[in-house]
């Protein structure tokens, strides 16, 4: 089973390190952003299972990010983290689309309980319906991929592999994991099968397949999708 992915939008370095280490120890995969701009970009690109977001951020605030995400149709659960404990702030955050609100300082055990609670409210496989990277656009509902506006012809297996990469962007994926998740336990392909399909995807998606910018080889470990 894949790890749940969390986005932490917080500008306090010490808190980022503490939360990242503890959440990783609890089995979560954590990505962080330190200001409003990068937080909004990361949250919009996703996909994440939940977003932990401070209200007061450099360049903006969590309320504005939450409102923008909901306007964009991003329904990822949002847990607001803030030192501002007034009732009116909690009401504003919840009305703008936040799912929960936790006032600093908080106990780690309570944070973990809040995260588990909001994750229980959404499907386990929370997946974006579309993705955009470079000049490539993907519509997962229609199973369509286009590059610079031109429709690409992907096989069903290539599309499934691309989807898995996009859903796990930033994570290093081993060939064994890709074989299990994309081809299935019973099909028994070889690791070379993964390499061949990755090469085919690069030919179709990358401007320069010999020097890919989206599907990167992590030598000795596997592949990573970056966008």
């Amino acid at each position: 089973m894949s790890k749940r992915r969390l986005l932490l939008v917080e500008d306090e370095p010490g808190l980022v390190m503490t939360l990242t280490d503890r959440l990783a120890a609890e089995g979560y995969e954590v990505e962080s952003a330190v200001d409003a701009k990068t937080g909004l970009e990361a949250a919009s690109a996703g996909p994440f299972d939940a977003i932990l977001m401070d209200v007061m951020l450099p360049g903006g605030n969590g309320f504005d990010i939450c409102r923008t995400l909901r306007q964009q149709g991003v329904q990822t659960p949002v847990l607001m983290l803030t030192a501002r404990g007034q009732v009116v702030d909690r009401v504003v955050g919840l009305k703008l689309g936040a799912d929960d609100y936790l006032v600093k300082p908080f106990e780690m055990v309570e944070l973990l309980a809040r995260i588990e609670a909001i994750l229980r409210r959404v499907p386990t496989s929370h997946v974006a319906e579309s993705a955009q990277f470079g000049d490539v656009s993907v519509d997962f509902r229609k199973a369509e991929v286009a590059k610079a506006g031109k429709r690409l012809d992907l096989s069903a297996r290539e599309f499934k592999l691309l989807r898995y990469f996009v859903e796990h962007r930033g994570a290093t994926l081993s060939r064994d994991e890709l074989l299990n998740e994309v081809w299935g336990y019973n099909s028994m392909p070889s690791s070379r099968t993964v390499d061949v399909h990755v090469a085919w995807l690069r030919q179709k998606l990358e401007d320069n397949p010999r020097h890919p910018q989206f599907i990167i080889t992590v030598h000795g470990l596997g592949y990573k999708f970056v966008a």
Side-chain angles (χ1 to χ4, degrees):
M1 181 177 178
S2 300
K3 291 183 178 181
R4 293 293 191 100
R5 298 187 70 228
L6 304 179
L7 173 63
L8 173 62
V9 187
E10 168 64 58
D11 65 318
E12 185 181 330
L15 185 57
V16 171
M17 182 179 297
T18 299
L19 292 181
T20 299
D21 288 348
R22 180 59 188 275
L23 291 170
E26 294 292 330
Y28 294 104
E29 179 183 325
V30 184
E31 182 176 325
S32 61
V34 298
D35 56 43
K37 181 177 183 294
T38 56
L40 177 58
E41 290 174 349
S44 299
F48 294 96
D49 293 288
I51 300 169
L52 316 181
M53 184 158 52
D54 194 6
V55 170
M56 303 305 295
L57 294 164
N61 65 67
F63 293 150
D64 291 337
I65 295 175
C66 191
R67 177 173 52 237
T68 301
L69 290 174
R70 297 314 186 220
Q71 290 173 345
Q72 292 176 346
V74 177
Q75 297 303 315
T76 307
V78 175
L79 172 59
M80 306 295 290
L81 308 175
T82 181
R84 301 169 65 181
Q86 291 85 352
V87 172
V88 65
D89 290 329
R90 295 198 293 273
V91 172
V92 169
L94 294 171
K95 282 191 172 182
L96 290 175
D99 295 81
D100 204 350
Y101 200 103
L102 188 57
V103 178
K104 300 176 183 177
F106 50 78
E107 296 292 334
M108 186 64 70
V109 65
E110 182 178 6
L111 174 64
L112 293 172
R114 297 290 186 97
I115 294 172
E116 291 173 2
I118 63 175
L119 289 178
R120 283 197 297 269
R121 300 173 198 160
V122 297
T124 300
S125 55
H126 182 76
V127 176
E129 294 183 351
S130 63
Q132 178 81 40
F133 50 95
D135 61 353
V136 177
S137 60
V138 185
D139 186 323
F140 290 118
R141 295 188 69 181
K142 296 181 179 178
E144 294 178 354
V145 183
K147 180 175 175 62
K150 184 178 180 180
R151 178 91 172 264
L152 298 178
D153 184 20
L154 268 64
S155 70
R157 189 71 67 184
E158 289 170 344
F159 184 81
K160 189 174 181 180
L161 179 60
L162 174 60
R163 181 168 192 158
Y164 195 80
F165 274 129
V166 171
E167 290 175 357
H168 298 81
R169 71 178 68 203
T172 298
L173 306 173
S174 69
R175 290 172 176 81
D176 285 343
E177 177 178 350
L178 292 170
L179 285 171
N180 289 335
E181 299 296 335
V182 178
W183 276 264
Y185 290 95
N186 298 321
S187 56
M188 298 300 289
S190 69
S191 60
R192 178 62 181 162
T193 302
V194 175
D195 297 334
V196 170
H197 279 74
V198 167
W200 288 343
L201 275 182
R202 285 172 171 168
Q203 287 291 333
K204 296 175 180 180
L205 302 176
E206 304 278 1
D207 291 336
N208 185 349
R210 290 181 177 273
H211 300 283
Q213 63 180 113
F214 302 126
I215 304 175
I216 309 299
T217 300
V218 182
H219 295 289
L221 296 175
Y223 296 101
K224 178 188 292 188
F225 179 80
V226 297

